[in-house]
Amino acid sequence: MSRTPAPASTGSADVDASATPTTDAPLSHGLKQRHLSMIALGGVIGAGLFVGSGSAIAAAGPSIVIAYAISGLLVMLIMRMLGEMSAANPASGSFSVHAERAVGPWAGFTAGWAFWFLLCVAVGLEAIGAAKIVTGWLPGVPEWSMVALFMLVFCVTNLAAVKNFGEFEFWFAALKIGAISLFLVIGLLAILGLLPGTDSPGLSNLTGQGGFLPNGTDGLIVGLLASVFAYGGLETVTIAAAESERPVEGVAKAVRTAMWRIAVFYIGSMAVIVTLIPWNSDSLAKGSYVATLEHLGLPAAGEIMNVVVLIALLSAMNANIYGASRMACSLVARGQGPKVLGKISGGVPRVAVLTSSVFGFVCVLLSYWRPDDLFMWLLNMIGAIILVVWFFIAVSQLILRRRTEKEAPEKLVVRMWAFPYLTWAALAGIAVVFVLMARDAGTREQLYYTGGLVVVLAALGYAHQRLTADKATAPAAAAQPAAEAPAPVEEAPAAEKPVAEEKSATAGKPVSTEKSASAEKSTSEEKPAAAAAKGDD
């Protein structure tokens, strides 16, 4: 990623200066391909799978396999679309940058700050969950002290070079993937009756206790909603790709190899669990993986899985602090946030890291001080943000795919399947999930709160877009009487500037001297990512 502001350029020197972040140096490129691959595989595997799946199984019964398959298909489409855009134009702002280029600055503003808010609140939630596990092992240790320790460790980790984040995530993801792979092997052996001391359950747990759909379609819908949000976290790999050694190749390979493996982990795990243990077992309340291993009589299974869950929570904390800081830095680079958040030192946006960590810690404090009102208010606001992000991704891909095919088809190293039909199918799927949330009493409130947050952000983003456009036209209008020649024609309104910039960067038609110089630097096929980052972020 380059620190050059992306689509915020207005053609006015004054506006350009105000939009340029106060950075000391560009972000570094310390992530390797192995880091990206593991981030892609492990970023989505969180506590929602290890712990939250238990309540989903209790609602849907064995049909939870169908629920995870449907939501997994939707997520695979979203990931493919995001991979296509990120491989064509790697940027640390990821989908926020793509939304700005496709729809307008207000869309990038809305998607970016909503996602930043989601990640910061999630950091606090994960810190609380991790602290509860550790204090269970160390009675007498106050929970807040462990929260403070975790926040400090991962704040410091992200303040250092980006390769430290990559190494942490590499080993965290490797442990999570190893744990799930071992679970699948043990489960398959038990299903086949090959595990010592166990008998094959056959299909008894799939057809008994009310059948495959014990709670009907209502239960399936509850399981579907739970499974959709369990898949959140895939977006981090496209954010991280901008700081890799070879962004284009890195994100393309990570996307291609991650999708089917994630489907195997999620859908395969659910199939093993509901085959081995009755869906209405009370033990599922402690976690579906723990309940299954204990059902098989494996020693210390509960504690082993608690270690895995702790690793998953710490991994998510690390990734969310990273993602939030890079998103904030990208927004500032495009003139859509406080300049101080864009300061970069040693290749790291340290002010953004500190701000994101502090906001997460404030969320933790609210969980102690105001658990019944302010904290629940925060939780409800983030309830459906990931769906909003997916909506922007699908709309952006629908627009940018056609534009890229006309202007720079060589950038499409990753292509969305059956375009545009599957893109429209994904949009329809997102709309269906929104409708299901509105119908369900348990999720309706989250939908309303998230909707309110998105409306406020969209209004602020649109106001900022109009203000930027007004500032761009004012200097030109003031200079026109003093000049003999007519004033130069502006590039485009604020909402269309990303299009103009993209054209100048990809088609080799510079709009300004600065852009021409940038285009000349990107003629080599060896470094397409640097040119894309220069044009987008």
Side-chain angles (χ1 to χ4, degrees), residues 196-254:
T198 62
D199 296 324
S200 173
L203 301 177
S204 60
N205 291 322
L206 296 177
T207 57
Q209 295 87 34
F212 192 75
L213 270 168
N215 294 320
T217 55
D218 289 341
L220 177 62
I221 288 172
V222 173
L224 177 63
L225 293 176
S227 63
V228 164
F229 298 109
Y231 279 106
L234 283 167
E235 304 79 14
T236 303
V237 67
T238 57
I239 294 175
E243 292 185 77
S244 64
E245 294 174 331
R246 293 182 297 173
V248 174
E249 296 90 336
V251 72
K253 184 176 180 180

Side-chain angles (χ1 to χ4, degrees), residues 35-68:
H35 295 147
L36 284 185
S37 297
M38 277 300 184
I39 290 170
L41 287 171
V44 72
I45 303 173
L49 176 63
F50 290 114
V51 180
S53 56
S55 59
I57 293 172
S63 67
I64 191 65
V65 177
I66 303 299
Y68 267 86

Side-chain angles (χ1 to χ4, degrees), residues 74-250:
L74 174 61
V75 171
M76 288 178 70
L77 295 179
I78 297 296
M79 189 62 179
R80 186 74 180 186
M81 287 185 278
L82 185 56
E84 176 185 291
M85 293 185 292
S86 297
N89 293 284
S92 67
S94 186
F95 52 83
S96 173
V97 171
H98 307 323
E100 180 166 343
R101 294 175 58 241
V103 183
W106 71 268
F109 181 98
T110 304
W113 284 116
F115 193 68
W116 179 86
F117 183 79
L118 166 67
L119 294 185
C120 290
V121 175
V123 166
L125 295 177
E126 288 141 4
I128 294 171
K132 289 183 182 297
I133 293 176
V134 175
T135 53
W137 297 332
L138 303 172
V141 175
E143 192 173 296
W144 65 264
S145 64
M146 298 309 304
V147 170
L149 176 62
F150 293 143
M151 295 294 294
L152 178 63
V153 167
F154 290 109
C155 180
V156 170
T157 299
N158 278 275
L159 286 173
V162 69
K163 66 179 180 180
N164 290 349
F165 160 76
E167 285 298 325
F168 267 93
E169 277 306 289
F170 177 84
W171 293 109
F172 278 152
L175 289 170
K176 289 188 290 185
I177 292 168
I180 292 184
S181 299
L182 181 60
F183 175 83
L184 291 175
V185 171
I186 293 173
L188 184 59
L189 292 176
I191 291 172
L192 297 175
L194 301 177
L195 190 69
T198 62
D199 296 324
S200 173
L203 301 177
S204 60
N205 291 322
L206 296 177
T207 57
Q209 295 87 34
F212 192 75
L213 270 168
N215 294 320
T217 55
D218 289 341
L220 177 62
I221 288 172
V222 173
L224 177 63
L225 293 176
S227 63
V228 164
F229 298 109
Y231 279 106
L234 283 167
E235 304 79 14
T236 303
V237 67
T238 57
I239 294 175
E243 292 185 77
S244 64
E245 294 174 331
R246 293 182 297 173
V248 174
E249 296 90 336

Side-chain angles (χ1 to χ4, degrees), residues 337-507:
K339 293 180 181 179
V340 66
L341 293 180
K343 290 185 68 68
I344 297 176
S345 177
V348 176
R350 289 175 176 162
V351 177
V353 169
L354 288 170
T355 303
S356 302
S357 300
V358 168
F359 190 90
F361 195 72
V362 168
C363 295
V364 173
L365 296 178
L366 289 177
S367 72
Y368 293 108
W369 296 339
R370 305 290 292 272
D372 298 325
D373 45 23
L374 291 181
F375 187 62
M376 289 305 301
W377 183 62
L378 287 174
L379 293 185
N380 284 329
M381 279 201 297
I382 68 172
I385 285 179
I386 196 63
L387 287 174
V388 175
V389 168
W390 291 353
F391 174 80
F392 277 114
I393 289 172
V395 171
S396 300
Q397 191 269 339
L398 196 64
I399 297 172
L400 293 180
R401 170 63 175 269
R402 292 190 174 97
R403 188 183 302 168
T404 306
E405 284 178 333
K406 292 178 181 178
E407 298 171 356
E410 70 279 0
K411 286 189 172 185
L412 292 172
V413 295
V414 176
R415 289 176 178 263
M416 177 61 181
W417 307 299
F419 177 82
Y421 306 108
L422 287 183
T423 300
W424 282 111
L427 282 168
I430 295 169
V432 168
V433 176
F434 276 127
V435 172
L436 294 177
M437 289 189 70
R439 290 181 55 194
D440 184 79
T443 56
R444 188 179 302 127
E445 188 175 9
Q446 295 179 7
L447 186 62
Y448 293 160
Y449 274 88
T450 299
L453 174 65
V454 170
V455 168
V456 170
L457 288 175
L460 291 174
Y462 185 73
H464 180 272
Q465 177 178 313
R466 292 297 301 271
L467 181 62
T468 303
D470 291 342
K471 286 183 177 179
T473 56
Q480 188 170 358
E484 294 293 334
V489 179
E490 281 191 80
E491 297 170 24
E496 299 175 1
K497 282 167 195 150
V499 181
E501 289 201 2
E502 182 194 0
K503 289 180 180 178
S504 67
T506 59

